[in-house]
Amino acid sequence: MNEAPAQAPSFRERPAEDEVVYFVLPDRFSNGDASNDTGGIEGGRLDHGFDPAHKGFYHGGDLAGLTGKLDYLEGMGVTAIWFAPIFENKPVQGPEGDESAGYHGYWVTDFTSIDPHFGTNEEFKAFVDAAHARGMKVYMDIITNHTADVIQYEEGYDYRSLADFPYSRRGGSEGELINEGFAGDSDQSVENFAKLTSPDFAYTPYIPQGETGVKVPAWLNDPIYYHNRGSTTFSGESSRYGDFAGLDDLYTEHPRVVEGMIDIYASWITRFGIDGFRIDTAKHVNSEFWQAFVPAMQETAEAKGIPNFLIFGEVYSDSPNSGFLAQFTRRDGFPAVLDFAFQSAIRASLGKNAPPSVIVDMFDGDVNYEGGEAAARKMPTFLGNHDMGRFSTLVKADNPGISRDELLARVKLGHAMLMSLRGNPVIYYGDEQGFVGDGWDQAAREDMFPSLTESYNDNDLIGTDATTAQDNFDRSHPLYVLISELAAIRAKHPALRRGTQAVRSYNDEAPGLVSFSRFDPETGAEYLLAFNTSDTAIEVNSAIGYKTNALKTLSGNCPATVVAPGSVRLSLPAFGWCIAKARSN
């Protein structure tokens, strides 16, 4: 009797470090359904937010377009798709003359529904099912820190502190007694917060006519569930209590807010079977919130049959030192955080021409994370993003006058590092097509489909003669080809996904060699990863395991043999690399 063939393991069984993640803003990727461009809202651009010629408004990309391009993503080796928030947003906000739209998804009004500019809840379910059918995971970008800017203040918007405007008085420490018995938010019990009944301790909050009841679920419309202290200065206590760019800052210490946010996001897991959350503005929320929220999401996912549900927080940092990031894994309980330390170290080396020892020092900090080096392997690593700008843009800014060829070479090396060194690599949409933006934020959010935005269409892309005025889904682009090749190598060799990593040799004085070994988690087989961060070719020795006497090239320029036990002679072109499997006979 013939045995039944072994079943391929479910994509659900893959740990986070096995993924190649593609981060995309749906509005800027592909327009698969022009009928939803205005989100079903009547009026002009300041009503519905659609203006494809303006970089700060909706351009028309949607779920239908994203679903239609799954072949393109699969062909690049992408195994997980993370997209910017797609919850229903306030279409347009901002002061008169400086309005912009919620195309990016971070101005949520309805936390339970897909924004009609992108499609419907049913279309989202179809997208998730289509991705899962290909073995691709789906990560949602979520927000618990704030909602859209709806609540206004009668007296102004400058931040008002806890000391000068305590909860016990209306409008300042000399004001009328209110909230009698409320002991402040260090006591986060239901009993204590039942005594917080007046939200006008610092400012008098109000909801403008026409916007009452706009938020879903309904409890979000009550100002009592917000901090109401004015705009953050991004420092001190205002970083946690202040309104982020005017957005209504939720009172995340309040037990009703904790309960409500758990209910909201648990429902996205149970209704759609998604595979993870990237959490926006995580460092602006109190630790106690995360200590309740994260386990609740993990328990919901486990009950749904999603054992490797990934939760990673955005903790913005511009330092290669991981200590600041690690505190959010230790104190707050995040299983992972976006690896800003990795991004900073790679930029320092390939953009600012620092010695590659900065990369070594960054990896030495992996022990800081809760779970140490094993936990660090599932940290999402990246080179650039929708906020800080593209890696190509940053490197270009660091090197005025750089040629397109050299910029392409540096960007290629960055991706070789991203795809082979420890971590869970994230590709920012458009990077695989050589996009080079003018800057950060709106300037880093170009269209993949033919753009009508002049400030995008005059950009000089790398690796192509195309512009963003054209469709940019070229599978022969050298960066798309490189990423797909590296993704295939990564998929075939577990050492490059799950293996431990050891430093071998590096230059600590100037750009040049940095090399590492990674080891197969089952067999212990060694792999050599060597990179030349300088703009000139190098011939230099690297340390390697003493049992190695030959190497098999997987990518780049690698020697076939060692020069002596424990030493290998490398010949690497400017911004070149070697990824090889070591052999011992």
Side-chain angles (χ1 to χ4, degrees):
M1 181 177 177
N2 294 329
E3 292 185 3
Q7 294 293 309
S10 166
F11 68 93
R12 300 280 200 200
E13 297 175 18
R14 293 196 308 259
E17 55 265 40
D18 279 10
E19 311 302 343
V20 174
V21 184
Y22 190 80
F23 173 39
V24 59
L25 274 67
D27 180 63
R28 304 301 167 88
F29 188 67
S30 179
N31 190 346
D33 182 3
S35 71
N36 62 25
D37 287 353
T38 63
I41 301 170
E42 296 182 355
R45 63 192 289 273
L46 296 183
D47 300 300
H48 51 62
F50 178 68
D51 181 358
H54 192 294
K55 65 182 179 180
F57 281 70
Y58 285 99
H59 287 188
D62 49 34
L63 284 167
L66 194 56
T67 305
K69 294 294 184 182
L70 287 175
D71 271 345
Y72 168 84
L73 298 178
E74 189 175 21
M76 192 166 51
V78 169
T79 65
I81 303 166
W82 154 32
F83 42 80
I86 56 172
F87 312 106
E88 186 167 349
N89 268 229
K90 187 173 183 177
V92 178
Q93 64 182 44
E96 185 175 352
D98 193 27
E99 302 91 348
S100 63
Y103 69 92
H104 44 69
Y106 294 99
W107 301 343
V108 184
T109 53
D110 184 348
F111 285 80
T112 68
S113 299
I114 299 298
D115 191 290
H117 291 87
F118 301 139
T120 64
N121 286 16
E122 291 73 25
E123 285 179 284
F124 179 61
K125 183 65 166 65
F127 166 74
V128 173
D129 290 346
H132 284 172
R134 296 169 181 262
M136 301 168 78
K137 294 181 180 180
V138 176
Y139 298 154
M140 296 188 79
D141 201 319
I142 69 170
I143 309 104
T144 67
N145 178 65
H146 57 260
T147 72
D149 182 14
V150 174
I151 296 173
Q152 306 300 310
Y153 308 129
E154 290 184 1
E155 299 86 356
Y157 296 94
D158 290 342
Y159 183 75
R160 290 185 167 180
S161 71
L162 293 164
D164 293 332
F165 294 86
Y167 296 106
S168 58
R169 300 282 178 171
R170 177 173 286 119
S173 58
E174 302 299 320
E176 176 189 355
L177 182 66
I178 58 173
N179 300 320
E180 187 171 0
F182 180 61
D185 54 40
S186 59
D187 177 356
Q188 295 173 15
S189 66
V190 173
E191 294 76 16
N192 182 48
F193 270 87
K195 300 170 186 174
L196 180 70
T197 57
S198 297
D200 53 349
F201 36 83
Y203 282 108
T204 306
Y206 70 94
I207 297 175
Q209 186 176 1
E211 295 194 274
T212 56
V214 72
K215 296 180 184 179
V216 179
W219 63 266
L220 288 163
N221 295 292
D222 189 339
I224 201 68
Y225 298 124
Y226 297 84
H227 283 132
N228 300 318
R229 290 189 173 274
S231 298
T232 181
T233 64
F234 298 100
S235 65
E237 73 175 49
S238 81
S239 180
R240 197 175 93 189
Y241 289 92
D243 293 344
F244 190 105
L247 300 167
D248 299 349
D249 199 67
L250 282 158
Y251 204 155
T252 48
E253 294 83 359
H254 199 302
R256 180 66 183 93
V257 175
V258 177
E259 175 190 38
M261 283 291 149
I262 287 174
D263 288 346
I264 286 168
Y265 290 117
S267 78
W268 286 95
I269 300 172
T270 57
R271 286 187 292 159
F272 300 99
I274 55 159
D275 305 286
F277 288 144
R278 177 267 193 186
I279 301 181
D280 184 61
T281 51
K283 70 179 182 180
H284 300 292
V285 176
N286 57 298
S287 302
E288 298 90 348
F289 178 91
W290 300 127
Q291 291 162 7
F293 182 86
V294 169
M297 295 304 100
Q298 292 172 322
E299 290 166 11
T300 301
E302 191 71 30
K304 181 70 175 176
I306 309 172
N308 288 297
F309 192 87
L310 179 63
I311 297 174
F312 55 107
E314 181 215 18
V315 181
Y316 195 97
S317 170
D318 59 3
S319 169
N321 187 324
S322 63
F324 175 69
L325 302 177
Q327 64 181 298
F328 292 87
T329 68
R330 288 189 172 273
R331 180 194 60 229
D332 296 25
F334 276 99
V337 291
L338 275 168
D339 198 345
F340 280 90
F342 178 94
Q343 189 280 332
S344 182
I346 301 300
R347 180 188 180 184
S349 183
L350 299 186
K352 299 179 180 180
N353 304 304
S357 53
V358 66
I359 301 173
V360 174
D361 292 342
M362 178 269 298
F363 283 131
D364 282 346
D366 285 354
V367 295
N368 291 322
Y369 295 109
E370 183 69 27
E373 294 174 340
R377 288 197 289 274
K378 64 181 178 182
M379 299 295 165
T381 50
F382 66 102
L383 301 174
N385 65 21
H386 62 316
D387 288 329
M388 65 172 53
R390 298 184 180 277
F391 184 63
S392 58
T393 305
L394 298 171
V395 172
K396 184 177 180 180
D398 292 336
N399 296 271
I402 189 173
S403 70
R404 291 172 70 196
D405 286 345
E406 182 177 335
L407 182 57
L408 177 61
R410 289 180 186 246
V411 170
K412 281 185 170 181
L413 177 56
H415 282 88
M417 291 176 159
L418 178 72
M419 296 294 288
S420 60
L421 292 169
R422 79 98 181 102
N424 178 4
V426 178
I427 308 298
Y428 181 44
Y429 89 99
D431 282 0
E432 80 278 10
Q433 294 296 326
F435 282 13
V436 183
D438 292 327
W440 58 291
D441 196 72
Q442 294 179 6
R445 301 170 182 178
E446 304 93 325
D447 302 311
M448 294 278 283
F449 56 99
S451 182
L452 300 178
T453 306
E454 290 184 8
S455 63
Y456 295 160
N457 293 342
D458 64 3
N459 293 345
D460 287 326
L461 280 57
I462 52 175
T464 180
D465 293 327
T467 72
T468 56
Q470 301 163 251
D471 185 89
N472 280 282
F473 294 95
D474 180 8
R475 299 192 190 203
S476 66
H477 190 286
L479 284 166
Y480 181 98
V481 171
L482 175 64
I483 293 167
S484 63
E485 289 175 349
L486 292 170
I489 293 168
R490 196 171 181 276
K492 186 176 180 180
H493 299 276
L496 303 182
R497 295 178 276 119
R498 307 182 191 182
T500 57
Q501 179 173 289
V503 179
R504 286 307 189 187
S505 300
Y506 59 95
N507 192 327
D508 60 0
E509 296 180 348
L513 175 70
V514 59
S515 62
F516 302 86
S517 287
R518 297 196 70 179
F519 301 91
D520 187 284
E522 298 295 331
T523 67
E526 182 177 4
Y527 289 71
L528 179 69
L529 317 176
F531 310 96
N532 176 16
T533 67
S534 75
D535 59 4
T536 57
I538 58 173
E539 287 200 19
V540 62
N541 289 345
S542 169
I544 197 169
Y546 276 77
K547 294 181 179 179
T548 296
N549 55 29
L551 295 100
K552 178 183 179 181
T553 299
L554 302 179
S555 180
N557 300 85
C558 306
T561 60
V562 299
V563 294
S567 179
V568 60
R569 185 72 172 172
L570 296 167
S571 179
L572 297 174
F575 308 115
W577 64 86
C578 161
I579 301 174
K581 183 177 182 180
R583 291 178 171 176
S584 56
N585 297 328

